[in-house]
Amino acid sequence: MSTQASQNWMCCKLFDAHTHHSPTDRVCAIESIDLYLIPEPIFIPSHRYSVGLHPWNSPKGLNTALKLQLDALSQSELVLAIGECGLDTIRGAHIETQKEIFEFQIELGKQYNKPLIIHSVKANQLLFDFKKKNREQLWIWHGYSGSTELALEWIRLGGLISIGPKWTHSNKLDIFLRQIPIDKLLLESDELPNRLEDLYGSISQTLNIGFADLVAIQGELFRAVFKTKA
Ligand SMILES: [Zn+2]
């Protein structure tokens, strides 16, 4: 990164649409809590969260206590999204069980008017079928690694895309960014909090816009999507 970009970074907060780590003071992040792993999370008042049931841990099933707990947490003003939730045909419970758990979270999102953070692995057709029935609801396909065409189809159904550090320095980034509207694209660190800055750097370079400008664009989108003043 150039010196100019580093200087900009020093005075900018970054925005992170999805992380599994506690963010530093310089990052506004949506910290993802899987209730299967942390059934009784303790929220830090200055942090913001998404709560949900991750498909990977869906063999644990869905019972009334879990439903009530997720429902209660979803109402917290610190919880800005539901998820990550979704479908995974490689890992997790039988797909029918996953669908049932996903449907419950779709309903919660509607009830409390909060966007969904989506996990989808080898389940695209099913995911699109669900999205078509829920066009009005804001769904963020996190950790996106598919084609530009698929992303555009998703966006046409009212979805947003979130990409992570895997895209940093990717030779597909240029063509991807040329076609995906910047106001439909969120950035995330997921499991790699230390690589968020590099992702911003790579994208600002590819788009040929200043680092601080990219941060400003992300900030605006982040605030609109998660309905926060962050
Ligand atoms: Zn994740």
Side-chain angles (χ1 to χ4, degrees):
M1 192 185 302
S2 70
T3 316
Q4 166 109 39
S6 308
Q7 277 166 0
N8 286 339
W9 149 243
M10 293 308 286
C11 62
C12 291
K13 267 197 165 189
L14 296 187
F15 295 87
D16 186 347
H18 174 78
T19 181
H20 294 279
H21 294 263
S22 205
T24 67
D25 290 346
R26 291 197 300 193
V27 180
C28 288
I30 303 296
E31 221 171 310
S32 184
I33 305 285
D34 179 4
L35 285 199
Y36 282 130
L37 301 180
I38 308 172
E40 289 178 23
I42 296 164
F43 293 147
I44 300 166
S46 59
H47 289 199
R48 297 296 179 264
Y49 301 88
S50 68
V51 290
L53 300 167
H54 198 296
W56 284 356
N57 300 311
S58 53
K60 295 183 181 188
L62 186 62
N63 57 43
T64 307
L66 199 51
K67 282 184 179 176
L68 289 173
Q69 172 72 335
L70 186 52
D71 188 304
L73 290 170
S74 301
Q75 297 175 55
S76 164
E77 60 185 18
L78 303 182
V79 170
L80 305 187
I82 309 297
E84 60 184 283
C85 56
L87 303 160
D88 192 322
T89 58
I90 304 289
R91 193 167 158 186
H94 187 279
I95 198 66
E96 290 306 319
T97 304
Q98 290 195 32
K99 280 160 71 176
E100 185 196 331
I101 298 169
F102 185 34
E103 275 166 348
F104 176 69
Q105 295 176 91
I106 293 170
E107 289 311 313
L108 275 186
K110 277 187 199 161
Q111 193 172 347
Y112 300 117
N113 193 23
K114 297 189 178 178
L116 260 52
I117 311 267
I118 301 289
H119 168 106
S120 176
V121 173
K122 302 251 184 252
N124 293 347
Q125 189 55 52
L126 258 181
L127 177 67
F128 276 73
D129 289 346
F130 271 108
K131 186 73 186 90
K132 282 173 192 159
K133 289 184 221 149
N134 296 280
R135 282 176 194 256
E136 303 305 314
Q137 203 179 13
L138 196 49
W139 292 11
I140 301 146
W141 190 340
H142 112 83
Y144 186 78
S145 61
S147 69
T148 305
E149 293 71 27
L150 191 70
L152 288 170
E153 203 180 324
W154 177 251
I155 289 166
R156 275 194 292 274
L157 292 176
L160 292 182
I161 296 287
S162 179
I163 62 173
K166 278 185 206 154
W167 285 82
T168 309
H169 309 306
S170 160
N171 53 12
K172 289 192 300 182
L173 186 61
D174 182 41
I175 185 101
F176 189 75
L177 292 177
R178 247 186 273 163
Q179 294 187 63
I180 302 300
I182 191 73
D183 63 346
K184 302 292 180 194
L185 184 70
L186 285 158
L187 305 181
E188 65 177 53
S189 67
D190 202 6
E191 295 286 6
L192 301 165
N194 298 332
R195 294 191 45 203
L196 185 66
E197 185 187 347
D198 287 343
L199 178 65
Y200 270 77
S202 194
I203 289 178
S204 73
Q205 246 174 28
T206 307
L207 288 175
N208 199 21
I209 58 173
F211 193 95
D213 294 332
L214 177 62
V215 172
I217 292 167
Q218 279 295 306
E220 201 172 311
L221 181 58
F222 187 96
R223 282 186 286 272
V225 168
F226 297 111
K227 303 182 201 77
T228 172
K229 292 190 177 76

PDB file of all heavy atoms in Angstrom, residues 18 20 84 142 190, ligand 1:
ATOM      1  N   HIS A  18     -18.761  -8.795   8.340  1.00  0.00           N
ATOM      2  CA  HIS A  18     -18.892 -10.126   8.940  1.00  0.00           C
ATOM      3  C   HIS A  18     -17.552 -10.602   9.494  1.00  0.00           C
ATOM      4  O   HIS A  18     -16.581 -10.741   8.740  1.00  0.00           O
ATOM      5  CB  HIS A  18     -19.400 -11.118   7.883  1.00  0.00           C
ATOM      6  CG  HIS A  18     -19.443 -12.529   8.359  1.00  0.00           C
ATOM      7  ND1 HIS A  18     -20.449 -13.005   9.176  1.00  0.00           N
ATOM      8  CD2 HIS A  18     -18.615 -13.583   8.161  1.00  0.00           C
ATOM      9  CE1 HIS A  18     -20.232 -14.286   9.441  1.00  0.00           C
ATOM     10  NE2 HIS A  18     -19.116 -14.659   8.833  1.00  0.00           N
ATOM     11  N   HIS A  20     -15.717 -13.259  12.750  1.00  0.00           N
ATOM     12  CA  HIS A  20     -15.871 -14.159  13.899  1.00  0.00           C
ATOM     13  C   HIS A  20     -14.940 -13.755  15.031  1.00  0.00           C
ATOM     14  O   HIS A  20     -14.769 -14.503  15.984  1.00  0.00           O
ATOM     15  CB  HIS A  20     -15.600 -15.606  13.468  1.00  0.00           C
ATOM     16  CG  HIS A  20     -16.612 -16.125  12.496  1.00  0.00           C
ATOM     17  ND1 HIS A  20     -17.839 -16.596  12.893  1.00  0.00           N
ATOM     18  CD2 HIS A  20     -16.593 -16.206  11.144  1.00  0.00           C
ATOM     19  CE1 HIS A  20     -18.529 -16.965  11.814  1.00  0.00           C
ATOM     20  NE2 HIS A  20     -17.799 -16.722  10.750  1.00  0.00           N
ATOM     21  N   GLU A  84     -24.606 -15.978  10.961  1.00  0.00           N
ATOM     22  CA  GLU A  84     -24.830 -16.434   9.634  1.00  0.00           C
ATOM     23  C   GLU A  84     -25.719 -17.676   9.636  1.00  0.00           C
ATOM     24  O   GLU A  84     -25.638 -18.529  10.526  1.00  0.00           O
ATOM     25  CB  GLU A  84     -23.512 -16.708   8.909  1.00  0.00           C
ATOM     26  CG  GLU A  84     -22.596 -17.756   9.540  1.00  0.00           C
ATOM     27  CD  GLU A  84     -21.282 -17.863   8.773  1.00  0.00           C
ATOM     28  OE1 GLU A  84     -21.245 -18.474   7.686  1.00  0.00           O
ATOM     29  OE2 GLU A  84     -20.296 -17.316   9.261  1.00  0.00           O
ATOM     30  N   HIS A 142     -22.522 -13.852   2.296  1.00  0.00           N
ATOM     31  CA  HIS A 142     -21.188 -13.580   2.838  1.00  0.00           C
ATOM     32  C   HIS A 142     -20.160 -14.592   2.307  1.00  0.00           C
ATOM     33  O   HIS A 142     -20.499 -15.696   1.898  1.00  0.00           O
ATOM     34  CB  HIS A 142     -21.256 -13.567   4.373  1.00  0.00           C
ATOM     35  CG  HIS A 142     -20.548 -14.707   5.013  1.00  0.00           C
ATOM     36  ND1 HIS A 142     -19.198 -14.701   5.233  1.00  0.00           N
ATOM     37  CD2 HIS A 142     -20.986 -15.901   5.454  1.00  0.00           C
ATOM     38  CE1 HIS A 142     -18.839 -15.847   5.788  1.00  0.00           C
ATOM     39  NE2 HIS A 142     -19.901 -16.586   5.932  1.00  0.00           N
ATOM     40  N   ASP A 190     -14.231 -12.035   7.929  1.00  0.00           N
ATOM     41  CA  ASP A 190     -14.605 -13.406   8.283  1.00  0.00           C
ATOM     42  C   ASP A 190     -13.640 -13.964   9.336  1.00  0.00           C
ATOM     43  O   ASP A 190     -13.649 -13.515  10.461  1.00  0.00           O
ATOM     44  CB  ASP A 190     -14.670 -14.273   7.014  1.00  0.00           C
ATOM     45  CG  ASP A 190     -15.532 -15.509   7.212  1.00  0.00           C
ATOM     46  OD1 ASP A 190     -16.153 -15.642   8.272  1.00  0.00           O
ATOM     47  OD2 ASP A 190     -15.597 -16.357   6.290  1.00  0.00           O
TER      48      ASP A 190
HETATM   49 ZN    ZN B   1     -18.254 -16.649   8.699  1.00  0.00          ZN
END
